[in-house]
Amino acid sequence: MKRLLWIGSLSYFLIGLAHVVVGSLLPVLLEHYGRSYTDGGSLIFAQFSGFLAGVLLSPWLARTFGKRRSLVFSLLLLCAAEVLYSILPPWGWLYAVGATAGFGFGMVEAVIGTIVIGGITQGTGAAMSRLEVFFGIGALAMPAIASQFIALGWWRLAFPIISLFAAVATIAWLRGSFGTLNVLLDEQEHRGDNHKRSTNTLNSPRVEAPKSSPVGNWKLLALFIVFFFIYVGTEMSLANFLPSMFIERLGLTQAEAALSVTCFWLAMAFGRLFTGYIADRYGYGIFVALSSLAATLLLCVFPLIQGTAGAFILIALLGLGMSGIFSIALVFASKMMPGTEESTTSLLIGAGGVGGALLPLYLGNSMDRVGAVASAWLLAGFACILCLLGGILYALYVRKKRLQTISS
């Protein structure tokens, strides 16, 4: 189990690096090719499109070829794409390279999330939180690495670093043995029928857990999809526009305002060290509901803050309050809809990806039209929707537990 978590953590560190490398190098990349920020936006969108395709196709690929083989395939794709980035091919090719890289790390994120949620029944929240910690470390480390390489004039070497980590992760997943979880990793469907087999234990009987179809829980699934859309959209809007809001509202310099994002992500990473253990002890539903409420209250106070010190303290508290929502909500969804971990995990990560792409666009338009204060209130409105959904989901969980108690 520990080996699985460490290799999974390495993989999440890798996708944290891969998520932000293009954004970290975008100014120098555009200067090299003589392109505009519109072209850069198109490149990032191509990577996001690949990410969404990888997330949504991961359940089918994992069922057909097995989770281990699917992970190895996606890691090799990511490794090759980052190598192609580093040789700086013609600009038009970069769209295909970006889509391939996005497909690779999107599939890695979804498959590993499914493995942890489906295979670790005790301390699931703590396990997912550990993965998210390493994702955050990767996302924090890459801008620092990229800035140093840019200063030295070696900026294209940031891409092979990701390829190196992808190669190490590939070897780890290929050679790793995970005890009883090997069956979960290597299980695949026969092509042409509905029977399943395990490549390692062909003759061993396996008892299937009772499953509930996502279609049968479509209302609950729809609530979770909207929840993830709003949450990730709000988180990415904060990450993208906090410096601009600090500059406009508090009169900070660009360098000072950039520290707001660092403060936010550091608080997120620190909070994730503890959120899983708290959620495992007190319950996933109550954790999601209370975290959503805390985020809402803090975002409603944010437009009213005037002082720089108070604003940074509030951002740190906001990072702590939001730190466990994504990973614990994934676990919460799997517990509410048992037996559908593969499909629900990919759908919810995909919904979050869509929200992370669309809501920042909407907030950016708001920043241009009505300014930072009104846009901060818009973020508070997103958070109110999030809080309402978290409360509804928790109420449904309580109702389900009560019905189970009565029936038993």
Side-chain angles (χ1 to χ4, degrees):
M1 198 71 69
K2 289 183 178 179
R3 182 178 299 175
L4 174 69
L5 282 178
W6 279 114
I7 297 177
S9 297
L10 169 66
S11 302
Y12 260 59
F13 174 76
L14 164 67
I15 60 178
L17 297 173
H19 259 285
V20 301
V21 63
V22 172
S24 301
L25 296 174
L26 193 60
V28 67
L29 194 65
L30 295 178
E31 181 182 354
H32 173 81
Y33 283 98
R35 295 283 173 165
S36 67
Y37 278 103
T38 300
D39 297 317
S42 299
L43 177 59
I44 291 174
F45 184 79
Q47 183 168 279
F48 163 74
S49 300
F51 167 83
L52 188 61
V55 168
L56 296 180
L57 287 175
S58 63
W60 176 78
L61 289 170
R63 286 194 303 268
T64 305
F65 301 103
K67 293 180 178 63
R68 192 195 302 263
R69 291 181 180 179
S70 299
L71 273 175
V72 169
F73 170 70
S74 55
L75 287 166
L76 289 175
L77 277 183
L78 178 58
C79 181
E82 299 300 331
V83 170
L84 289 173
Y85 266 136
S86 69
I87 65 176
L88 303 177
W91 177 263
W93 293 18
L94 288 186
Y95 295 123
V97 174
T100 302
F103 185 94
F105 64 71
M107 190 167 174
V108 170
E109 183 175 354
V111 173
I112 293 177
T114 300
I115 291 170
V116 170
I117 291 172
I120 300 178
T121 56
Q122 298 294 325
T124 313
M128 282 300 299
S129 294
R130 180 190 292 189
L131 297 184
E132 290 293 321
V133 168
F134 279 86
F135 178 92
I137 293 172
L140 274 170
M142 179 47 70
I145 294 170
S147 66
Q148 291 301 311
F149 278 141
I150 291 171
L152 294 171
W154 303 340
W155 57 272
R156 67 164 69 182
L157 294 182
F159 297 114
I161 287 178
I162 300 175
S163 294
L164 177 62
F165 276 105
V168 172
T170 300
I171 294 170
W173 284 111
L174 275 173
R175 297 179 62 86
S177 179
F178 308 102
T180 57
L181 290 180
N182 283 332
V183 175
L184 178 67
L185 284 169
D186 296 321
E187 179 186 67
Q188 64 189 82
E189 289 182 352
H190 275 303
R191 294 166 181 80
D193 60 35
N194 294 322
H195 298 290
K196 291 186 177 180
R197 65 182 176 90
S198 169
T199 54
N200 283 0
T201 56
L202 293 176
N203 298 318
S204 59
R206 184 170 185 262
V207 179
E208 292 290 334
K211 295 188 177 183
S212 58
S213 169
V215 177
N217 292 303
W218 67 270
K219 291 182 181 179
L220 182 60
L221 182 61
L223 286 172
F224 273 111
I225 286 173
V226 178
F227 181 91
F228 275 81
F229 178 91
I230 296 292
Y231 170 73
V232 179
T234 303
E235 179 187 290
M236 296 312 298
S237 296
L238 278 168
N240 284 293
F241 292 104
L242 266 181
S244 299
M245 289 180 173
F246 272 51
I247 290 170
E248 183 176 330
R249 293 191 59 236
L250 303 174
L252 302 184
T253 65
Q254 289 184 348
E256 291 170 338
L259 291 175
S260 63
V261 180
T262 303
C263 178
F264 177 72
W265 284 115
L266 282 174
M268 289 275 279
F270 180 76
R272 286 169 178 167
L273 294 173
F274 309 99
T275 53
Y277 299 102
I278 296 170
D280 285 331
R281 180 172 181 179
Y282 295 104
Y284 306 121
I286 189 66
F287 180 91
V288 169
L290 291 179
S291 295
S292 302
L293 176 61
T296 301
L297 293 175
L298 291 167
L299 281 172
C300 287
V301 174
F302 179 56
L304 306 175
I305 291 290
Q306 298 296 326
T308 301
F312 273 94
I313 291 172
L314 186 139
I315 290 303
L317 291 174
L318 190 58
L320 290 173
M322 298 177 68
S323 59
I325 293 179
F326 184 85
S327 57
I328 302 305
L330 273 179
V331 178
F332 183 39
S334 73
K335 302 301 181 184
M336 287 285 283
M337 295 175 284
T340 64
E341 289 84 4
E342 290 185 6
S343 55
T344 54
T345 301
S346 61
L347 281 173
L348 297 182
I349 292 175
V354 174
L358 296 183
L359 290 191
L361 288 177
Y362 185 66
L363 189 73
N365 184 50
S366 172
M367 289 282 290
D368 289 333
R369 290 187 297 106
V370 296
V373 175
S375 298
W377 282 115
L378 180 62
L379 280 176
F382 292 158
C384 288
I385 298 173
L386 190 75
C387 183
L388 177 63
L389 289 169
I392 292 172
L393 289 168
Y394 178 61
L396 291 174
Y397 168 75
V398 171
R399 178 176 177 270
K400 181 178 180 181
K401 294 292 289 184
R402 185 182 297 119
L403 291 174
Q404 288 177 344
T405 303
I406 293 172
S407 64
S408 62

